[in-house]
Amino acid sequence: MGDKVHGNRDWMSHLPDELLDVNLWNLAIPGSHDSMSFCLDLSSPVVESESWLLKAMDRLAPSLIRPCVFRWATTQQAVLSHQCDLGIRFLDLRIARKPKEESKLFFAHGIYTWITVKEALDELSAWLDAHPKEVVIVCCSHFACLTPSDHMRLVDDILSLFGTKLCPAQDCPTLRSCWSKRQQVIVSYDDQEMIQRHPQLWTEIPYWYADSPDPKKVISYLEAQKQKGRPTGFYVSGLNLTENVSFVLLHPFQNMKSITSKALAVLLGWAGEQRAGPQPGCVNIVCCDFVDAAHFCDCVIGLNYKKKKKSALVKCDQHPLKFECD
């Protein structure tokens, strides 16, 4: 599994031949939750979209509030290119406009990042150039305080930067079809107006998350969701924990990394029991926090190597206007 020398940098190009014609939403794909939270800026204010109470507390005592937000909002510690080297192929990009910033967009999770959207996308583009057979799904969402003109500039930048690397939403992507067209990027954009204007953009990808700091409750939630049947196309199973104000107050000496570290054995144990494929109980994208802290990517990528029945290997109907290929 994977490249013995370079880990998971090129894991897609090393998949067995029988998986190269399988829809990408029937493969198991590792993703990072809040991918840009490794570069949160302690000098920035709390994000405008946060609760009025948190913003008021930030104005009164920024030296206390911002470090606390930083501890609990930091969910990754590796730059995008290193995340991709680890095997991550789904990036959760939560985009925001900083107060008093007119021309630049940033990322946000509680507070803003110091790396701009342009800088991050440029880094991703360079990585893709070096790995021409890898396909990355980029999920752009949240859009805190973005104006219509911000959206237009952002989409124009995405289209200009990735160009022919973009896989249009009406396509039914497999690895082989992407390679034949030299497509490497699928962009999910959580704004209907932009989606209607630009066929290169995909609709929002469903993200299952339990909204709990308890790993057992996370697993129970994901199992309950599986019983309802999987969404059509791409979807995400979130292994990430979620804290609330009362949990933070009751755990003053902990942070998101410490509680995630304790939970990883349970969360990855569940992940290792899953299967990839089109059936209702199969996983597609699996997201986690601190993806460089354990063998998360190895675990998810390995699901593609589990023995499958022939009926599970559903190949894509290459009709250009057909989206539901299963």
Side-chain angles (χ1 to χ4, degrees):
M1 179 184 68
D3 187 316
K4 299 296 184 181
V5 178
H6 299 296
N8 295 318
R9 290 180 183 176
D10 299 286
W11 69 265
M12 287 180 159
S13 66
H14 289 80
L15 285 175
D17 187 72
E18 63 266 24
L19 295 180
L20 302 185
D21 294 306
V22 173
N23 304 336
L24 292 184
W25 47 76
N26 290 333
L27 296 179
I29 298 173
S32 59
H33 168 247
D34 264 303
S35 306
M36 291 300 298
S37 63
F38 65 87
C39 60
L40 295 177
D41 184 1
L42 273 170
S43 67
S44 82
V46 167
V47 177
E48 282 295 313
S49 58
E50 293 292 337
S51 70
W52 68 268
L53 178 59
L54 186 59
K55 289 187 290 185
M57 293 169 64
D58 180 52
R59 286 192 291 269
L60 291 172
S63 60
L64 294 176
I65 297 302
R66 292 176 192 177
C68 181
V69 173
F70 181 90
R71 290 199 306 273
W72 290 98
T74 299
T75 65
Q76 303 297 339
Q77 53 192 14
V79 299
L80 286 192
S81 57
H82 184 53
Q83 291 184 36
C84 291
D85 283 345
L86 291 169
I88 294 299
R89 296 295 179 267
F90 174 89
L91 299 173
D92 175 20
L93 304 184
R94 305 185 179 199
I95 298 169
R97 169 194 275 274
K98 273 187 183 180
K100 301 179 181 179
E101 282 283 355
E102 296 184 0
S103 60
K104 296 178 182 179
L105 295 176
F106 294 79
F107 303 95
H109 192 210
I111 54 179
Y112 301 92
T113 63
W114 51 268
I115 291 179
T116 66
V117 172
K118 185 180 186 309
E119 290 169 334
L121 294 181
D122 283 344
E123 179 187 1
L124 177 60
S125 179
W127 188 89
L128 290 168
D129 287 340
H131 302 272
K133 286 195 169 184
E134 299 303 298
V135 179
V136 176
I137 303 164
V138 179
C139 179
C140 299
S141 67
H142 288 64
F143 302 125
C145 299
L146 264 66
T147 65
S149 59
D150 288 329
H151 279 290
M152 287 188 286
R153 284 196 301 270
L154 174 57
V155 171
D156 285 345
D157 287 345
I158 290 172
L159 300 182
S160 175
L161 179 62
F162 295 118
T164 57
K165 284 190 177 75
L166 290 168
C167 176
Q170 66 266 29
D171 281 4
C172 179
T174 69
L175 284 174
R176 204 186 304 275
S177 70
C178 288
W179 295 347
S180 68
K181 301 170 187 176
R182 298 185 180 179
Q183 295 170 346
Q184 291 185 268
V185 188
I186 291 169
V187 176
S188 164
Y189 200 91
D190 190 12
D191 183 274
Q192 286 303 313
E193 184 176 348
M194 290 294 103
I195 289 171
Q196 290 171 4
R197 291 186 182 185
H198 302 282
Q200 300 94 328
L201 303 177
W202 294 61
T203 58
E204 180 184 9
I205 294 174
Y207 194 120
W208 291 352
Y209 72 100
D211 197 21
S212 172
D214 184 342
K216 293 181 180 179
K217 289 183 178 179
V218 170
I219 291 172
S220 295
Y221 167 83
L222 293 175
E223 285 295 325
Q225 289 296 105
K226 284 168 58 178
Q227 296 302 315
K228 299 176 184 178
R230 58 173 292 167
T232 301
F234 294 110
Y235 84 101
V236 180
S237 300
L239 295 182
N240 46 288
L241 307 179
T242 307
E243 85 294 344
N244 54 31
V245 174
S246 60
F247 186 88
V248 171
L249 293 175
L250 290 171
H251 300 82
F253 302 110
Q254 295 194 41
N255 54 43
M256 185 55 72
K257 185 177 180 181
S258 64
I259 68 167
T260 299
S261 297
K262 293 177 182 178
L264 273 178
V266 174
L267 296 173
L268 295 187
W270 177 87
E273 295 172 353
Q274 305 311 301
R275 287 187 176 274
Q279 292 85 0
C282 292
V283 297
N284 174 214
I285 301 163
V286 182
C287 273
C288 193
D289 292 331
F290 303 103
V291 295
D292 60 334
H295 299 293
F296 165 69
C297 288
D298 291 339
C299 177
V300 177
I301 295 167
L303 301 180
N304 295 302
Y305 289 80
K306 284 189 174 182
K307 289 185 178 180
K308 298 178 175 65
K309 296 179 182 179
K310 289 184 179 180
S311 60
L313 294 175
V314 177
K315 294 189 177 182
C316 181
D317 181 348
Q318 295 297 325
H319 192 290
L321 297 180
K322 188 174 181 182
F323 179 80
E324 296 181 11
C325 301
D326 296 330

